[in-house]
Amino acid sequence: MIDSHQRFWQQAQPLERKPIRRRFLPEDIEPLLEQVSVDQTVFVQQEHSADANRWAFELAEKHAFIGGIVAWADLGASDFRQQFDELHEHPKFVGVTHRVDEEADDDFVVRDDVLTNLKVLEKHRVPFDLLFQPHHLKHAATLGRELPELPMVIDHLARPPVKSGKLDGWAEDIKAAAACDQMYCKLSGLITQADSKNWTVGDLRPYVHTALEAFGPERCMFGSDWPICELAATYQQTYQGIVNTLTELSHDERMQILGKTAARFYNLKTA
């Protein structure tokens, strides 16, 4: 099985709720993966930094269980093509991301210059991870129409309001995105959007089931959002929480979500 969303933190980060202010490295996650029989993980870069990319690739070279790196590239930069060419040289480069949710312009991802740069990814069929908040989600369907050959995945289901239990607006945008065949989604990051001290599987289920109904198991993939998940749950609890929302699916459908979808989407080398 494959965890399609990991991120290792090299330095302490200021976080609320349960404190996790320390370094998180591959040595910390490897035994946790073994506990739930996850044999590969994909590192999704969170820092807007070429140095952070280089650090991630160095980690991937040392640890075989890191199956791929989704690297950062500046989608608004005039030298995006040069950045892409440099990333493309690394054997474990499997995709590009950009913290759209940190841009001051809520419409950043559909700007003309950004769409032009995304067409570079489309030409090479290199996946793009969408780091969205709910108010960005309306842009997913636009990207799907503008870039019909670009594989894209909505990380964390765009962080829906799990704590409130509201589906209106978010559900409609998810369904519009799913109408684009090249759009996928990650069942990740939901626990930290719930009540971190009192969440239940029942809190997660409406959001997971909405995604499953829209995308189908063949376009949904599990992600842990580790170590951020530690704010609300251990890795094992996070994994089991998602698994427990999938009880109505067949074994093959669960295996799609727990590994096969991510392996196909990121073109990972599997044993």
Side-chain angles (χ1 to χ4, degrees), residues 15-270:
L15 295 168
E16 299 177 356
R17 290 175 273 178
K18 183 179 175 182
I20 57 171
R21 297 190 191 181
R22 66 176 181 84
R23 293 173 184 262
F24 287 86
L25 295 167
E27 292 80 5
D28 296 301
I29 189 64
E30 188 169 17
L32 305 182
L33 298 176
E34 292 174 355
Q35 288 174 15
V36 295
S37 300
V38 170
D39 49 29
Q40 279 196 84
T41 185
V42 173
F43 179 110
V44 180
Q45 180 59 264
Q46 300 296 293
E47 300 296 325
H48 279 198
S49 164
D51 287 341
N53 282 339
R54 284 188 283 272
W55 174 72
F57 284 121
E58 289 172 3
L59 291 179
E61 290 172 3
K62 296 176 182 177
H63 300 276
F65 69 86
I66 301 177
I69 302 293
V70 176
W72 166 76
D74 188 352
L75 285 173
S78 58
D79 68 343
F80 176 83
R81 180 54 192 258
Q82 180 180 343
Q83 295 180 44
F84 173 79
D85 288 343
E86 291 175 1
L87 293 171
H88 209 246
E89 294 176 358
H90 294 274
K92 286 196 174 182
F93 170 66
V94 298
V96 163
T97 192
H98 184 110
R99 289 302 301 265
V100 172
D101 57 348
E102 292 187 350
E103 292 290 342
D105 179 4
D106 288 345
D107 299 324
F108 169 85
V109 77
V110 291
R111 282 183 357 200
D112 288 344
D113 59 331
V114 172
L115 290 173
T116 295
N117 287 332
L118 284 173
K119 287 177 182 178
V120 175
L121 302 185
E122 183 181 37
K123 178 180 178 181
H124 295 271
R125 303 294 193 274
V126 170
F128 178 47
D129 271 54
L130 302 173
L131 291 170
F132 281 178
Q133 294 289 338
H135 62 278
H136 300 111
L137 188 53
K138 62 184 180 181
H139 293 316
T142 301
L143 292 173
R145 292 189 295 268
E146 293 286 336
L147 304 157
E149 301 300 324
L150 174 60
M152 288 176 277
V153 59
I154 302 167
D155 289 7
H156 315 314
L157 290 179
R159 299 194 181 282
V162 179
K163 189 173 183 178
S164 72
K166 293 181 179 179
L167 295 170
D168 292 347
W170 172 84
E172 286 74 16
D173 288 339
I174 278 288
K175 292 172 184 177
C180 304
D181 291 341
Q182 80 283 22
M183 191 72 66
Y184 290 62
C185 70
K186 288 187 185 178
L187 308 181
S188 62
L190 297 176
I191 288 174
T192 50
Q193 300 304 307
D195 182 336
S196 62
K197 295 181 180 179
N198 300 296
W199 67 271
T200 68
V201 172
D203 297 329
L204 313 181
R205 190 171 282 115
Y207 299 93
V208 172
H209 285 193
T210 297
L212 284 172
E213 182 179 349
F215 288 92
E218 68 281 359
R219 287 194 286 150
C220 290
M221 61 185 86
F222 165 74
S224 67
D225 196 26
W226 183 90
I228 299 300
C229 68
E230 294 280 349
L231 292 167
T234 64
Y235 185 100
Q236 189 171 29
Q237 289 169 336
T238 301
Y239 174 85
Q240 197 60 49
I242 294 299
V243 169
N244 287 346
T245 67
L246 309 177
T247 54
E248 297 176 7
L249 301 183
S250 68
H251 173 77
D252 184 64
E253 288 172 330
R254 290 195 298 272
M255 291 303 98
Q256 290 284 341
I257 295 166
L258 297 175
K260 291 181 180 180
T261 298
R264 185 175 68 255
F265 180 80
Y266 289 117
N267 194 29
L268 300 178
K269 295 179 180 179
T270 57

